[in-house]
Structure formats: structure tokens, C-alpha cells
Amino acid sequence: MTQTSNPTDWHPASWQTREASQQPLYNDSERLQNAIAALNRLPPLVTSWEIEALKGHLAAAQRGEAFLLQGGDCAESFAECSSEIIVQKLKILLQMSLVLVMGLRKPVIRVGRMAGQYAKPRSADQETRDGVSLPSYRGDLVNRNPFTAEDREPDPDLMLRGYERAALTLNFVRSLIDGGFADLHHPENWDLKFVSESPMAAEYHKIVESVSDSLEFFESVTGDALHSRRVEFYTSHEGLHLAYEQAQTRYLPHRERWYNLTTHYPWIGMRTADLEGAHVEFFRGISNPIAIKVGVGLGDEHLQALLHVLNPDNEPGRLTLITRFGAKNIEKHLPRVIQAVRETGSRVLWVCDPMHGNTESTAEGYKTRRFDNILAELKAAFRIHEEMGSCLGGVHLELTGENVTECIGGARGLKESDLARAYKSQVDPRLNYEQALEIAMLIAGHVRAQK
Ligand code: PEP
Ligand code: CO
């Protein structure tokens, strides 16, 4: 395998010489240094073996031989590090992946926005209410949401609490998977009541039956029970809070490379992709597979320069581009971006995030997304890639396994008036269990129909 050469002018703290946007301002630098030192001593959350295995799978997806399913909360919260919520999230991701395997006839790479998605970019450093200004809430890794001076003060120890929650989440996910939790044998038990009203009910039931049949066929041919085979599951989060990311970044002598061991697959968000900025500097030196969010504001030359800086050796599996234009803008922007990347000769994995370009606010002030816009952007992404001789290799979704009411539409026909009933997200609206499964089925159906 081609290996990215280690940049010699890089070290885990070299980002500190650059302008770092979206970072909390800690007032107590001694406590900050103590927290970083403690994090630095603690064992890593993931290993380089897992990271390199994932990179290999992503390289296959770049060649069109696999498909990425990446999903989870916009922001995880410490309070929701609970058995029920983790189980439900893992369950929906596994069920979606099975539907996609059947529809796409390709291996599906499962990645959670999980076990570390605790820091959020904000549009302003301060939030003002009734004439009082306090630091913005930047996620549980940084401060607390209630609007009091004490809660909003960035607390360095929260990085340790975040590391612990990530470790607890990952430990539970690994145990569930090892214990055969992926109970894919009984799709008839999937909660599909919601489709009974849908004109697509028959189609959904056909998919569920074919999942069942294929599992039986697979097991009778291989003599192997599928649940005894290890399902691979990887973690990802936005690599936003650089002190936290740096503290778990290690040089591994057996690989002669640096790895960020807080997660398998970090991404650079829309607001921190400045070429000269600290985030790009940090990401340049780690050997994980990484992703970049690409929205309407990212120009062609900027993107081309990012590809060069972040993957100078064009290493397979290293770079993913997650496009998030919105249903209204994808026709205009995706073709130019595909063309701009093509001009560089860079290998990338193309992934569509149909969530972040489709956010809107209701008259009552709820942030929401319409199922129809999400689906429209996904379908457009498949079509535009195909038309341009490129390949959409994955989807990136904000979802939860719970029965929340945050996005409008879907087979059950959630309306604006339903949002108040179970709106739980502190940040962006997520697809609920039913809507997420439905999206997977619609993708599977769409791709099969094109073949
Ligand atoms: C996100 O993924 O939650 C996010 C903030 O995305 P973006 O950087 O694309 O706006
Ligand atoms: Co979000």
C-alpha cells in the first residue's frame, strides 16, 4: 500500500502556530494543561489496526466496490450516554446497513457519528439574551447548555468526561457486536407499522423478506451463522476541539506514522476548512482516513488546494468529500466540484450529506428538515455522479434510533404541528427510527431501479 510520507515540519502541536477558529477560551490555563496531560496518559480509544482496516474499506468504496453508511446525532450529549439510546442507535444503523447491502449488492461500511461527537461549531462566540452575553454553548466537551455564567464557562475537565463517555459508549458497542446483538435474523420483528399507510408498503415488505431469504441462503451455503461473524463498526466525529484531538494523537513506531486515536475517522467541518488555519494543519499530519465537508461556500481552488495539502501522495482511502449543498443547490454545485476534483487527479470517496444544506426554521422557531428535500438531494447526488462518470460511494445522515419528531415528512407523514411532541435535539433535527429506515429502503429501491 502507498503510504503518505510523514511531513517533517509537522508535530501534534504545530496547529498552535495557526489561527484556530471555533476553540473555547479557557480562563484557567493550569487546569487546562492538567486535563490535557491526563488525557495524554490515558489509553487510546481506538487502534491503528482498526484505522488502517477502515482505510482499506474506504479505498474499496472509492473504487465503487463498497458503500459507506455514516450516521448518528448532530451532537451526542453526556446525558444520553445510556444503554437504551446506544442500543437503539446501533440497531437502526445495522438494520439500515442490511437494507443497503441487499439493495446495492455491495458491502456496507458502518460508521457512527458516535463515541466522541461532543463538540459543535457555533456561528457566534457569545450568545445574548435579555441584554446578558455569555459564551455560546459549544457542546458537552466544552461547556454546559443552561444559560448561566457558571454553566457556560468552558471547563477543561469536560474533555476528560467526554473521553470517558466515548470509552463507555465504544465498550458497550463492541460488547453488543461481539455478543451477536446484530439480530438480523428476524427482520419480521422490525418495527414497520409506520409503512402500513404508505403506498410503498408492498415494496418495504419485499425488501424485508429478501433480507430474510438472503440470510438463510448465506448461512446454508457457508454453514456459518451470520451472527457469529464479526460485524465491523467504526466511529467518527468532527475533529473540532484541537486540544482534545491533540492529546490522543500518538506516534506509532511500528508504523512510523502519527494517528489521532480518539476516533477512526474524523472530519473537518464547513467552518474550519481554512487552508491556512489550525484544523487543516492538524489534519495534515495524522494518518487516519479523514473527511472534508463541502458546501456551497467552498470554492474550487480552495478545495483543490485542500486535496493537495491533506493527501499529497494520493493515498487510497485517505480522503472523503462529504457534499452538503441542499436540494436547491446541488444541481448547480455538485457538477463543478466533481470537475474540480477530477482536474487534480485525486482519489476521493464521494459521500452525500443531505441534512446540512436542507435545514429550515418553522414559524414557531423549530429547526427542521423535510424528508422530501433530504430524499431529493440524495437522488440528485446519485444521478449527477452517474451522469458525470463518477460514483456516489456513501451517505452521511443525522439520525437517532428513538421516536423523535424533528424532521417533517416520511411514510407516517409527520407535520409541522407534530414537531413539538418529541423534539429532543439540542442542535440539528435528526431522522427518527422510522424515517431513517425508510431512507435506507428508498436508497436501496432507487439504486436497484437504476440497474
Ligand atoms: C455537522 O455535521 O453537524 C455540521 C456542523 O456540519 P457542517 O460542518 O457541514 O455544517
Ligand atoms: Co449537524
Side-chain angles (χ1 to χ4, degrees):
M1 192 185 7
T2 337
Q3 299 263 299
T4 308
S5 49
N6 274 306
T8 49
D9 56 345
W10 182 93
H11 59 91
S14 58
W15 62 269
Q16 293 178 16
T17 63
R18 306 287 183 93
E19 168 104 23
S21 55
Q22 300 287 342
Q23 303 305 292
L25 209 67
Y26 292 105
N27 287 318
D28 187 336
S29 65
E30 194 181 326
R31 278 186 63 219
L32 175 62
Q33 291 316 319
N34 287 343
I36 292 172
L39 257 182
N40 200 264
R41 280 191 301 273
L42 287 163
L45 293 174
V46 301
T47 66
S48 66
W49 289 275
E50 296 164 341
I51 291 173
E52 288 298 334
L54 173 61
K55 204 190 281 172
H57 299 320
L58 295 171
Q62 288 177 338
R63 298 190 302 270
E65 295 162 12
F67 193 80
L68 173 72
L69 170 64
Q70 185 174 23
D73 297 306
C74 182
E76 288 176 285
S77 74
F78 291 177
E80 294 197 337
C81 181
S82 72
S83 161
E84 176 74 8
I85 287 176
I86 296 168
V87 163
Q88 286 299 111
K89 212 178 308 170
L90 189 60
K91 184 171 158 191
I92 183 62
L93 286 167
L94 290 172
Q95 290 183 352
M96 290 172 80
S97 73
L98 198 60
V99 168
L100 291 173
V101 167
M102 305 320 325
L104 278 63
R105 309 262 155 204
K106 284 179 189 175
V108 170
I109 309 159
R110 304 169 189 90
V111 177
R113 281 175 68 116
M114 264 175 105
Q117 176 55 14
Y118 295 122
K120 294 309 294 176
R122 301 313 303 256
S123 47
D125 285 342
Q126 297 279 314
E127 182 181 345
T128 304
R129 290 190 201 173
D130 302 327
V132 179
S133 289
L134 294 174
S136 295
Y137 170 62
R138 292 188 171 278
D140 284 1
L141 196 64
V142 173
N143 54 4
R144 300 175 182 88
N145 202 9
F147 195 71
T148 72
E150 195 191 346
D151 285 311
R152 289 297 176 89
E153 177 69 27
D155 176 353
D157 285 347
L158 292 177
M159 285 192 276
L160 288 162
R161 302 294 86 79
Y163 163 89
E164 291 155 4
R165 293 294 198 290
L168 293 169
T169 304
L170 207 47
N171 179 58
F172 189 43
V173 165
R174 288 187 162 132
S175 305
L176 285 169
I177 283 175
D178 283 348
F181 160 79
D183 191 0
L184 304 174
H185 287 80
H186 298 285
E188 70 276 12
N189 295 340
W190 295 4
D191 192 1
L192 287 172
K193 289 189 283 296
F194 69 100
V195 298
S196 58
E197 302 291 305
S198 162
M200 302 186 67
E203 173 74 0
Y204 291 156
H205 287 292
K206 223 163 63 201
I207 290 176
V208 170
E209 263 165 44
S210 85
V211 166
S212 243
D213 291 349
S214 313
L215 282 178
E216 271 167 33
F217 174 72
F218 178 88
E219 289 176 352
S220 65
V221 171
T222 61
D224 192 5
L226 199 66
H227 62 78
S228 69
R229 287 160 54 88
R230 209 186 136 75
V231 172
E232 288 182 29
F233 189 86
Y234 298 96
T235 63
S236 65
H237 64 246
E238 179 172 351
L240 184 70
H241 190 346
L242 293 174
Y244 177 78
E245 307 296 327
Q246 180 197 329
Q248 283 260 315
T249 294
R250 314 249 155 104
Y251 183 74
L252 301 182
H254 62 285
R255 297 197 188 270
E256 300 182 350
R257 306 177 96 187
W258 292 90
Y259 289 86
N260 176 355
L261 299 174
T262 61
T263 191
H264 299 110
Y265 187 23
W267 76 84
I268 301 180
M270 265 301 285
R271 293 165 191 77
T272 50
D274 183 0
L275 207 51
E276 301 301 324
H279 291 80
V280 171
E281 173 60 18
F282 174 75
F283 272 73
R284 173 171 83 91
I286 56 171
S287 300
N288 306 54
I290 60 173
I292 311 170
K293 290 284 202 98
V294 179
V296 291
L298 192 72
D300 295 347
E301 282 172 25
H302 182 174
L303 178 58
Q304 290 172 334
L306 285 174
L307 299 179
H308 179 68
V309 171
L310 293 168
N311 194 17
D313 298 338
N314 211 4
E315 182 188 3
R318 158 77 170 167
L319 261 189
T320 298
L321 297 182
I322 305 174
T323 62
R324 31 88 82 221
F325 298 121
K328 283 202 190 75
N329 289 315
I330 184 168
E331 304 286 342
K332 176 162 172 225
H333 291 275
L334 184 56
R336 77 159 168 90
V337 168
I338 294 174
Q339 184 54 32
V341 172
R342 186 164 284 160
E343 282 163 18
T344 66
S346 297
R347 267 188 206 102
V348 302
L349 174 62
W350 291 103
V351 170
C352 175
D353 164 359
M355 313 300 291
H356 287 88
N358 289 312
T359 315
E360 55 186 278
S361 287
T362 67
E364 284 174 52
Y366 284 104
K367 236 184 177 188
T368 191
R369 290 161 174 156
R370 290 173 196 276
F371 191 89
D372 289 348
N373 288 338
I374 293 168
L375 186 62
E377 181 164 1
L378 276 173
K379 284 188 175 170
F382 274 108
R383 176 177 46 75
I384 293 167
H385 278 289
E386 170 103 33
E387 281 169 5
M388 294 190 65
S390 171
C391 172
L392 182 68
V395 291
H396 180 113
L397 300 167
E398 285 186 344
L399 55 82
T400 170
E402 292 171 280
N403 195 12
V404 299
T405 55
E406 298 171 5
C407 291
I408 294 174
R412 202 183 278 277
L414 284 188
K415 293 194 258 325
E416 219 172 291
S417 54
D418 291 311
L419 296 183
R421 186 152 41 82
Y423 197 103
K424 296 194 189 154
S425 176
Q426 293 186 348
V427 203
D428 291 340
R430 302 160 294 177
L431 296 169
N432 63 23
Y433 170 82
E434 297 175 352
Q435 291 169 326
L437 193 55
E438 189 180 358
I439 278 283
M441 290 177 172
L442 289 168
I443 295 172
H446 178 74
V447 171
R448 255 197 330 232
Q450 306 297 305
K451 281 188 179 158

